[in-house]
Amino acid sequence: MMPALPRFPPHPIRGVRVRHQKQNCAPQFAVIEVDFEPADEGFRFEVARELAVEFKPAEDLPRFSAAAAAGIEEQLNVHEGTFMIATRVVLRSAHADPFGSSELAFRVAGYLAARKALE
């Protein structure tokens, strides 16, 4: 029998809000708010039905939310080494702008949100 995955967090952490903004010749901008909850197994990332979205074009949402999920998962895996942490993450709000938002900006925002939750 496989040992149970470590759970993170031990209790729900709600409203982890991160703003990633970098001003240079290639600006980056992303704001996300996520909830972290313990899960029975694996990493699950969900977009809340009542997601508050503040950006255009809205068709970028799936790419940006997938990038945020990748950043969160990457940070949690780095924290635990080679083990996947059992956690559920729910994206509650996302804010982007047409000039500085990209998949990279949302990946970094996801990474920072997981780091903040780990504190």
Side-chain angles (χ1 to χ4, degrees):
M1 178 180 252
M2 300 261 311
L5 292 172
R7 288 182 170 193
F8 173 78
H11 52 81
I13 300 174
R14 308 259 186 240
V16 177
R17 186 173 175 83
V18 172
R19 178 186 181 105
H20 171 64
Q21 187 169 10
K22 184 176 172 185
Q23 299 294 331
N24 60 15
C25 58
Q28 294 180 14
F29 179 83
V31 178
I32 61 171
E33 184 174 331
V34 292
D35 294 342
F36 290 83
E37 301 173 357
D40 292 331
E41 60 183 24
F43 175 81
R44 289 193 348 240
F45 184 87
E46 301 171 11
V47 176
R49 285 189 189 134
E50 66 280 358
L51 175 70
V53 179
E54 298 178 36
F55 63 89
K56 298 174 193 162
E59 63 266 8
D60 288 334
L61 178 62
R63 289 185 310 112
F64 289 168
S65 62
I72 291 168
E73 187 174 15
E74 180 180 311
Q75 173 61 22
L76 293 178
N77 279 333
V78 166
H79 178 72
E80 285 296 317
T82 59
F83 298 101
M84 175 71 76
I85 291 179
T87 191
R88 176 178 176 249
V89 180
V90 180
L91 178 65
R92 297 286 177 199
S93 69
H95 183 89
D97 72 39
F99 303 107
S101 294
S102 65
E103 290 174 50
L104 176 60
F106 275 84
R107 186 180 189 108
V108 171
Y111 181 90
L112 294 172
R115 210 159 147 193
K116 188 173 182 179
L118 285 166
E119 293 173 356

